[in-house]
Each structure stands twice: as C-alpha cells, then as structure tokens.
Amino acid sequence: MNRNKVLVGILAIILVFILLAGCGKPAPAATEVEILESPADESNSKDMEESESQAETSGVPSPISGIYTEPENISRRPIAVMLDNQSKARPQAGLDQAEIVYEALAEGGITRYMAIFLMNQPESIGPVRSARPYFIEKALEYDALYVHVGGSPQAFIDLKELKVADIDAMSRDGSIFWRKNHKKAPHNMYTSTNALRKAAQNSGYKAEGDFSSFAFNIEDTDINGSQVSSIEIPYFKDYHPSFQYNVEDKKYDRYINGKPHLDEISQIHLQAKNIIIQKCDTEIIDSVGRLEMTVTGTGTGYFITNGKMTEITWEKKARKGRTKYYDENGKEIRLNPGVTWVELIPMKLENVFQ
C-alpha cells in the first residue's frame, strides 16, 4: 500500500475520533481549567461581573427604598401598618420586608412601629396595633393605606378630617384581620398585604399612590461625618433599640435590649442601610399617658449611613406634606438604596451614639 495513502487513512481515523469525542462525553477537567485561565475567558468573566451588576439594577427603583424591582411591584399604593412593640407582642412578622420603618413612643414608655410596604408582599404582618396622630401624619407622606386596630380619640378625628384611606380591624371581617393563638390578645392581631389590598378594593380606595419620594444615590455613597459604629436609643426601661455597624454588609444590625431583632417568620436579623433620628417636641396630653408629638414644622436630628453620622435639620410644611431632611449645608440629603429606619425621639433624649 502506498505510504501517503496510509498516512491519509490514519489522519482520517484520528479526525473521526476527535469529532466523536466532541459529540460524546464532556472534556476532562484539565481542559476546563486551561480554558478558564485563557485570556479570552478573563474577558468573559468581566462580562459576567458586569451582567451581575446590571441585574442588581434591572427594573426600576422603588420610590420608598431605592431598591430595584419589577415595575408592577411599585405601580400600586403603599401600605402603612401599625405594629405592636409591647414585650408580649415580640417578635413581629413582616418587618423584614418593610422598606421604611418608623419607631416612636406611644404611652407608658412603650414604643410602636409603623412599617411601610410597597415592593414586597408579606403573607403575615403583625401584631397590628392602634393608631396615633403623629403616625398618621407620617403615613400621609406616602399617600398610604393606613392599617390599624382602633386608635386614640385624636387619631379617629384626624382619620376623618384628613380623609385617610383607613383600614381599621374594628370594622373589617376575619378575612382581612385574624388573631393567632401563639400570643395573647390584644397582642395577636395579624393580616397580610393581599388581604389589605382586598379591603382597599372593597372600600373603593384608589389603587395607586400619589406622593413625592426621597432622593436616592444611584450607587452606594459615603457621607462626610463622624464615625459611628453603635447607636442606642434609651426610650424607656426595656425599650432600648440599638444598631451595630456591620462592616462587611455596610449596614446596621438592629437589636432590642442587646438581643438581635429578628423577624418572627423568616428569623432574619433586621438591618438598616439608612438611619434617621428625628428630634420632636413631645408632651403627655392626658391621664392615660397619650402623647402629642410634633412632626409638622421644623427641627433637628441625625442621618447615619455606611458607618458615619452627620447632623441634619428637618422640615414638614403641612400635615400631608413630605418631611425633608437637610445636611449642614442646607442641601437635601440623599439616601443610599436600602431599608431605612426613622427613629422619632423626644428632644430630651441625647447621648445615643457610642
């Protein structure tokens, strides 16, 4: 047989084996490692990192938190829910999905929360508690559905006069609010966002909100200010919330009386990207100990993010108007995208930073 023909035959056989290998089993791991280390793959790796970065900002930013989400998640009305913080009510459900949480004194030194929901739809929120006038004024800033169980005399007056989109458990059935057996009444009233939107529809409330949002940084941004790693707010006895800066996450972990503040359902340790401390004139107005807290007008406070704190001033020109926060140069502050906690504190509370 001709030598050239033999060589051609051998080459043809080798080519067949190569083609069969390409259609059969995957290449050995050594080949994969070589591919990953090639210059072309480094370029692909960079492309993947850019794609992941773009994924974090895909969709549209929520006007409540600046976090990116699908458009349908923010094309609805915000929901503001009053949450019980009496010791027997803890832990609360749904706080891990709130985009903004307000905390303020009610009476007897006990604080209460108001959680604002828009992009998330928690299936369990509670325990729900009663309304207070200063919380109503904050809910109006978001044109929110205002959710509660009863309220103070002044709160009922304000709900009517200010034409609030009111969802009160006292006038709703068991499909909207329900009590759970693991806690004792009145600290066991729960609801869900789906149930609340059903109630809003039944009441003929408009489906979308009309409000101006906070200004947010496009990217995570540090502020000029003092280093602050620990914040404790001594409201009263066993109502000492605190925040500890988590350097790795660049967020503040939240604690209650020195213990991690966890969500009841998810067991997630609650965190804040932004913390606003707003000082308010506060006084007791009746024998029960109910408070009048001035949140319309002007005042001072602090803004904390990324481990730093700066002094601010605040202004709210009307009860339905948005509270604006300004830095020392008189410029409105920009929040970093993420969850914000707003602590409304009496003027006398000081020494909250450590």
Side-chain angles (χ1 to χ4, degrees):
M1 184 180 288
N2 187 290
R3 185 180 177 184
N4 289 335
K5 289 183 179 180
V6 171
L7 289 173
V8 170
I10 292 171
L11 289 173
I13 293 170
I14 292 172
L15 180 61
V16 169
F17 275 112
I18 292 172
L19 291 173
L20 288 174
C23 298
K25 295 181 181 180
T31 305
E32 292 178 0
V33 172
E34 289 173 3
I35 292 173
L36 287 173
E37 291 179 348
S38 69
D41 187 69
E42 287 180 5
S43 175
N44 291 337
S45 179
K46 290 179 181 178
D47 291 341
M48 289 178 63
E49 289 177 3
E50 290 177 2
S51 297
E52 289 175 0
S53 177
Q54 291 173 359
E56 292 177 0
T57 56
S58 64
V60 294
S62 166
I64 307 293
S65 64
I67 299 172
Y68 278 73
T69 185
E70 296 303 317
E72 60 267 24
N73 292 337
I74 63 170
S75 61
R76 52 197 177 202
R77 200 166 184 180
I79 299 175
V81 184
M82 296 298 303
L83 292 173
D84 195 346
N85 192 35
Q86 204 261 7
S87 58
K88 295 180 181 179
R90 300 173 191 158
Q92 298 86 2
L95 281 176
D96 64 328
Q97 297 185 59
E99 293 177 71
I100 292 186
V101 183
Y102 288 84
E103 181 175 21
L105 287 164
E107 51 269 344
I110 298 173
T111 66
R112 193 159 295 179
Y113 303 135
M114 184 177 74
I116 310 292
F117 302 95
L118 180 58
M119 60 180 280
N120 298 318
Q121 295 270 84
E123 297 179 358
S124 183
I125 307 173
V128 184
R129 206 60 195 272
S130 57
R132 292 295 180 272
Y134 37 94
F135 281 114
I136 292 172
E137 290 189 35
K138 289 297 184 183
L140 287 169
E141 298 188 21
Y142 304 93
D143 191 25
L145 303 169
Y146 185 66
V147 182
H148 60 103
V149 183
S152 66
Q154 186 60 49
F156 281 118
I157 293 172
D158 290 346
L159 288 169
K160 184 176 181 180
E161 289 186 352
L162 297 171
K163 298 179 180 180
V164 177
D166 183 33
I167 302 179
D168 184 354
M170 303 297 287
S171 59
R172 305 284 174 162
D173 63 31
S175 68
I176 309 300
F177 295 89
W178 49 87
R179 293 197 180 275
K180 292 188 175 182
N181 296 328
H182 68 305
K183 296 175 184 175
K184 293 183 179 180
H187 313 294
N188 61 347
M189 184 72 81
Y190 285 74
T191 186
S192 72
T193 48
N194 285 337
L196 294 172
R197 295 201 183 280
K198 172 186 171 184
Q201 186 176 19
N202 292 341
S203 294
Y205 296 143
K206 62 182 181 180
E208 297 182 3
D210 181 15
F211 63 97
S212 59
S213 65
F214 284 106
F216 290 94
N217 294 311
I218 297 175
E219 296 180 351
D220 190 55
T221 305
D222 291 343
I223 60 173
N224 294 322
S226 306
Q227 294 284 346
V228 172
S229 59
S230 181
I231 305 162
E232 182 175 347
I233 304 174
Y235 281 112
F236 184 76
K237 290 185 178 179
D238 65 341
Y239 294 89
H240 278 217
S242 62
F243 297 87
Q244 300 290 330
Y245 188 54
N246 185 321
V247 178
E248 183 178 349
D249 293 345
K250 295 189 73 174
K251 297 177 184 177
Y252 282 86
D253 296 328
R254 182 175 163 87
Y255 295 82
I256 295 289
N257 303 326
K259 297 180 180 179
H261 190 173
L262 309 179
D263 182 83
E264 180 179 22
I265 305 299
S266 68
Q267 292 297 298
I268 287 175
H269 190 175
L270 302 181
Q271 293 182 311
K273 181 62 179 179
N274 310 290
I275 302 169
I276 295 173
I277 297 177
Q278 181 177 338
K279 298 180 183 179
C280 306
D281 286 325
T282 307
E283 63 176 318
I284 298 173
I285 58 173
D286 60 23
S287 58
V288 179
R290 295 189 183 96
L291 304 175
E292 181 177 286
M293 182 171 286
T294 304
V295 294
T296 297
T298 60
T300 61
Y302 306 97
F303 171 47
I304 304 100
T305 190
N306 287 359
K308 291 186 177 181
M309 176 275 293
T310 186
E311 295 186 11
I312 59 172
T313 58
W314 62 268
E315 179 182 45
K316 181 176 167 75
K317 294 182 177 180
R319 300 187 76 185
K320 290 187 177 182
R322 178 170 69 86
T323 304
K324 294 184 178 182
Y325 301 95
Y326 301 95
D327 63 20
E328 294 173 308
N329 298 317
K331 185 177 180 180
E332 187 172 357
I333 66 172
R334 301 181 75 89
L335 302 180
N336 278 319
V339 174
T340 298
W341 277 74
V342 181
E343 301 287 343
L344 304 176
I345 69 171
M347 295 291 291
K348 65 179 182 179
L349 283 186
E350 290 290 349
N351 301 319
V352 298
F353 302 109
Q354 298 177 17

